[in-house]
Each structure stands twice: as C-alpha cells, then as structure tokens.
Amino acid sequence: RAALVAIATLVACSRLRPSAAFLGLRNSSLARLKMTIPNACSATSVEHALGIPSGPDPTLQLQATLDDVNDDGTRRAVLVVGAGLHRQLRALTRGDKLATSWEAFTDWNGLLASIVDVYDLPRVVHEDPAATWEDTVARIVAATGEAGRKADANAAVLRPGDAEQQALKMLAKELRNLPADHHALEWLGRLLLHFRDVVCLNYDPALEMSAKEVGAEITRVPSSSSRARSTLGCSFTWTTQGRHGRVWNPHGQARCPSRGIILGTTSYGQALSAVTKAWKRAKQAERLHESGGGPAYWQARRAVTPFEPTSESGYLLMLTWVDLFLASDLIVIGTSLDRAEVDLWWALHQRQRNLARVPEAERPKTLLLCGGQGPQHLATGPAGISVLRFDQWSEAWQSLN
C-alpha cells in the first residue's frame, strides 16, 4: 500500500510539473504569483492571488481607460484620490518653508491625534486613522468631563457629539491652512482638467485652488440649495478651454461644514443609510431614461448638464458620486481604501454585484495605482479591484499625465 501511494504521488507530481513551469512557479509553496509587465511610461507590476482569475492585463486596461474620452476631451473614467495626493504635492513644492508646511497634511493620522494638544492630553496614534479619531473624541469627552467635575460637581459632562463638533472645527481650521505652492497647484490643475469627474476623499481645498491656478472658472453649489446640505452631490464645477468637470467630496469639506464632515467609524456607519438610498435612486433614474439603461443612459446621466429626472413621488433624482461608482471606470490613487470606510466599500461591492452578469471584458474597470507593495488587504482583488504597482509613487501619478 505504501508503494502504491509513493507511485501515485510521483505520477501526480510529474503531471503538475509542466503546469507549474508554464505558470513560472519554482516552488509549490509559493503563495502568490507576481507578474511584471513592461510599460512605455514606467515599470509596472500587478499581483494576482492564486486561485483568483487574473483577467486582462491591468496595465493595458489602464492605457485603454485613459484613452477613452468625452466629446470635450475629458476622460470618461472617474479619478478617485485620497490623502496620498498631499505627499505628491509636497514633493512638487519648491521652497523648504512651504515643503515643511506640508508635514501636517502628509501625516493624516498624526494630524488627527494632534487635536488633543488643546486639551493638554498626550497623543495616541492607532494604525487605523478612523480608530485614532474615535479615540480622540472619547478622550476629549473624558478629559472635559473630569475637568468640569473638578470645577463644579454638578457640571454636565460634554456629550460625544458635541466633543466631536469641537474637534471637527479645530481640524477644519488646520485644513484651511493649505500650503499654496504655484508649481504644485499648477501640476494638480493640469491633472484635474483631464477628467470629467474627480472624487476626492480629502477635506481640504487643494483641488479648488488648483483649478483656479490653471484659469478654470469655478461654480460652487448655492448654499440655499438642498444639494449644498449633502455630501452626495458635487462640491463645485469647473469650466475652461471648452472643457467641463465636477469635483465630489463624499466625506465633506473643511470650508463647508454645513454639508457635514464624515470622519471616523461612527460617521462612516451613519453614512451608509444615505448611500444606500442614493443607490436605489440611481437605479430608479436609470429605469426612467428612454433607453432603459446602457451606454446611452450613462452618456446622458454624466453629461455636462446631467439627466436628472423626477420620480413618481416628486423627488429629484440628482446625480451623485454613488452614480459614478455604479457603472464608470474608476482609477484610484493616493488612498489605501481603508476598511473602516464602509460607505465606499459598500458602494464598491454593490458595483461588483450589479455588474456580475455583464461579460468580464465589458465591465467597467476598478484600477488602483500605488507605489511600492501596496495595501495588503487589496492583494486578493476584493470588489474586483486590480492593483497596479509602480516602483515609485511619482511614477504612478505621472502615468495619469
């Protein structure tokens, strides 16, 4: 019996050997397949988890996605940017003084922890920025409550919601002090003009400042409009040289706290209700278009003047950032898509479900560009994300220009 087992094992190994050689695997214990892909603009690589279908070459997908443009020359793909944008702007900043000013913006976690300095509390920085923020709010409540009781035994303890509002005001004040380097802002402005829609996960005014730097005319949403009281709608539109675009801030803006600032695990969870409702209304708007959906609908929905019908109940089905996640190519850069941002992950997974019946070659792409190894939690391609790794972050940003 032992001899038979040994012979069967040898036969199985001999059959597997050609397949392993074809895949380039030298060791059966190798956990992952790393494929390096040459690119005309830079050296790029993409990682696939074994057992996960690799699909088309993501590098070629990126080039094809960037080449797909609207009539005015702006790209159809939606650009999604995060706090990593600050590091790129700092690298492009000329002058040591301004470059030093960027330090607070390039250490987002540290900036959140620094809010407690006003209360003479030691800083506590967790790996997850959302946890850092929640800890900061809780410690402010505890500290002010203790101080109040020492001054007056009957003093009311500060509520968590009020403590968070205090902290948000201090954070907003810091974020308004964005270093204004013309060279860096001009670079960002030129990048902005390439895209019809840009979703920014940051709270600072860098994109608005950069649009003005390159001569674009800015139109903000009127403060009296119901759109101004929601982070679902666009923050501002820009126009220049016959091109038109929109910027979206799903988590709010420091300059416009009335729209709300979504930060921390509590806020991300509370935002799910609005995002879920926006998703249903996006699907409703699709059904009300004469085409019933498809390319014609999305061209109308994402036009300069978007298709925004009124529902049977009389509700305006306005275009939101959730629509963009529904069926557009997404190019993500400068963010690790933190797992605590459940509103974004919900939209990404709903997108994946919604497109499951569409042939893979016809599905919108979700391409995440990063420098170095990239986030570990994205290595297996959750929600259909393809990770493109560049040797340097600067190369990843340059690939978009």
Side-chain angles (χ1 to χ4, degrees):
R1 190 176 298 175
L4 287 174
V5 172
I7 292 171
T9 303
L10 289 173
V11 171
C13 289
S14 66
R15 289 180 177 175
L16 286 173
R17 207 167 283 129
S19 299
F22 175 76
L23 290 171
L25 300 179
R26 298 180 181 179
N27 191 324
S28 60
S29 65
L30 186 64
R32 305 171 73 188
L33 168 66
K34 178 179 178 181
M35 177 175 60
T36 301
I37 306 169
N39 188 315
C41 62
S42 61
T44 309
S45 65
V46 58
E47 288 192 1
H48 301 295
L50 290 181
I52 303 296
S54 61
D57 180 342
T59 306
L60 298 180
Q61 289 181 8
L62 174 62
Q63 193 58 55
T65 301
L66 293 175
D67 290 342
D68 186 17
V69 297
N70 297 298
D71 292 339
D72 63 357
T74 54
R75 289 167 174 157
R76 297 183 193 276
V78 177
L79 180 64
V80 182
V81 299
L85 173 63
H86 298 144
R87 295 183 181 275
Q88 175 67 1
L89 293 177
R90 179 187 181 185
L92 294 171
T93 296
R94 297 174 177 177
D96 295 337
K97 186 175 181 180
L98 277 177
T100 302
S101 300
W102 273 110
E103 290 182 4
F105 292 86
T106 54
D107 181 14
W108 176 238
N109 218 352
L111 179 60
L112 297 181
S114 70
I115 299 299
V116 299
D117 293 352
V118 177
Y119 301 93
D120 294 324
L121 296 173
R123 298 184 184 186
V124 176
V125 179
H126 299 285
E127 181 181 357
D128 177 7
T132 299
W133 181 254
E134 295 294 341
D135 189 80
T136 296
V137 172
R139 292 170 66 223
I140 290 174
V141 172
T144 54
E146 184 178 345
R149 283 190 294 269
K150 287 181 179 179
D152 182 358
N154 298 318
V157 178
L158 189 66
R159 295 181 300 178
D162 294 332
E164 186 166 41
Q165 288 304 311
Q166 287 185 12
L168 285 172
K169 288 180 180 179
M170 289 183 279
L171 180 63
K173 184 178 179 180
E174 292 292 330
L175 293 174
R176 292 192 192 103
N177 299 323
L178 192 76
D181 178 76
H182 297 294
H183 174 68
L185 290 177
E186 183 182 358
W187 170 87
L188 179 57
R190 291 198 305 268
L191 176 62
L192 176 66
L193 300 189
H194 280 305
F195 293 87
R196 167 69 57 83
D197 290 290
V198 176
V199 175
C200 181
L201 306 179
N202 303 330
Y203 308 91
D204 59 80
L207 284 173
E208 185 172 343
M209 292 168 62
S210 70
K212 293 177 180 178
E213 188 69 28
V214 293
E217 181 180 343
I218 301 298
T219 303
R220 294 180 179 176
V221 178
S223 57
S224 59
S225 169
S226 59
R227 299 171 188 257
R229 296 189 293 274
S230 169
T231 59
L232 293 168
C234 77
S235 302
F236 68 88
T237 61
W238 59 262
T239 305
T240 185
Q241 302 170 7
R243 293 189 175 194
H244 309 268
R246 295 173 286 247
V247 172
W248 311 76
N249 293 89
H251 293 157
Q253 294 175 286
R255 71 161 183 82
C256 192
S258 61
R259 300 185 77 178
I261 292 181
I262 300 174
L263 174 61
T265 307
T266 301
S267 294
Y268 293 147
Q270 292 170 344
L272 270 179
S273 175
V275 173
T276 304
K277 191 177 295 184
W279 186 274
K280 293 178 180 178
R281 287 173 176 165
K283 298 294 290 183
Q284 191 176 357
E286 185 176 5
R287 291 191 294 269
L288 291 174
H289 191 258
E290 58 184 5
S291 67
Y297 165 72
W298 286 110
Q299 185 172 355
R301 184 65 163 163
R302 291 189 56 200
V304 176
T305 302
F307 171 71
E308 294 183 321
T310 302
S311 68
E312 294 180 357
S313 58
Y315 190 88
L316 178 66
L317 303 174
M318 69 177 190
L319 179 69
T320 71
W321 68 264
V322 179
D323 287 85
L324 307 181
F325 273 55
L326 185 60
S328 303
D329 287 320
L330 301 179
I331 299 177
V332 185
I333 186 170
T335 174
S336 63
L337 292 176
D338 196 311
R339 284 171 288 190
E341 295 173 310
V342 291
D343 54 339
L344 298 179
W345 278 107
W346 186 92
L348 287 171
H349 283 296
Q350 284 297 114
R351 162 192 176 90
Q352 184 183 32
R353 287 186 174 205
N354 190 62
L355 298 169
R357 290 179 292 179
V358 178
E360 184 177 2
E362 300 175 18
R363 294 175 196 165
K365 310 300 182 290
T366 308
L367 306 173
L368 185 138
L369 283 55
C370 68
Q373 292 297 321
Q376 185 61 35
H377 67 280
L378 300 179
T380 55
I385 295 172
S386 295
V387 180
L388 280 76
R389 299 191 303 139
F390 292 77
D391 292 336
Q392 303 291 334
W393 271 107
S394 58
E395 294 175 356
W397 286 104
Q398 187 56 39
S399 70
L400 300 178
N401 273 328

